[in-house]
Amino acid sequence: MDSSGVQGLKGSWDYVDGENFDDYMKELGVGWALRLTAKGVKPRLIISETDGKWTVRSESAIKTVIYEFTPGVEFDETTPDGREVKSTISFEGNKWIHTSIDKSGKKSVVTRFIDENGQQMINLECNSTKARRWYKKAD
């Protein structure tokens, strides 16, 4: 796979900017205080893969969150805001599709891909609320 595909997501990424993230978190049920804290967080993402098992590490001044997965296999995940969800990540073409369902049945879908500028784009969706975040390759 070339660097524009899912394999291109491997490496370290620094947060650049986002749109509508607060509304997305509100739709997920994240409380005001946590949303306020999240607004100031500019995480570094580190994505790696060994023998078909992928690891995502999100590092910030506040907290480091790590999850591991095998594509297409459901796993238990604790989100950065502390919600326990069932997640499945699948690779479809050049996109990484992360689907999560919480205990109340609320579903969110996070799609990652490399755009034409080589940035990692992350589209987030819960019900009709959509948000975007983007990251650039770390130096």
Side-chain angles (χ1 to χ4, degrees), residues 12-14 44 136-139:
S12 296
W13 299 86
D14 289 329
R44 170 171 276 197
K136 64 179 174 57
K137 269 285 204 212
D139 296 327

Side-chain angles (χ1 to χ4, degrees), residues 16-40:
V16 175
D17 206 351
E19 296 171 351
N20 212 35
F21 192 56
D22 188 63
D23 286 342
Y24 170 75
M25 289 188 297
K26 192 183 296 181
E27 186 66 29
L28 286 172
V30 177
W32 176 81
L34 271 176
R35 292 198 323 270
L36 191 64
T37 301
K39 279 184 185 179

Side-chain angles (χ1 to χ4, degrees), residues 60-133:
S60 72
I62 295 171
K63 165 185 241 183
T64 295
V65 177
I66 301 169
Y67 61 89
E68 293 182 334
F69 70 95
T70 301
V73 177
E74 185 179 78
F75 64 100
D76 294 317
E77 178 184 3
T78 302
T79 65
D81 55 76
R83 291 174 303 113
E84 293 182 7
V85 298
K86 294 277 188 194
S87 294
T88 305
I89 299 175
S90 58
F91 298 155
E92 299 175 16
N94 288 335
K95 295 190 170 161
W96 159 319
I97 316 286
H98 185 157
T99 304
S100 300
I101 300 174
D102 70 16
K103 290 180 175 174
S104 68
K106 189 170 283 190
K107 177 180 173 180
S108 64
V109 179
V110 176
T111 305
R112 299 173 189 268
F113 62 95
I114 307 292
D115 72 4
E116 64 279 358
N117 300 317
Q119 294 189 112
Q120 180 179 165
M121 299 301 298
I122 304 176
N123 293 330
L124 308 105
E125 191 170 343
C126 180
N127 296 325
S128 61
T129 304
K130 296 181 181 181
R132 288 189 331 152
R133 290 165 73 87

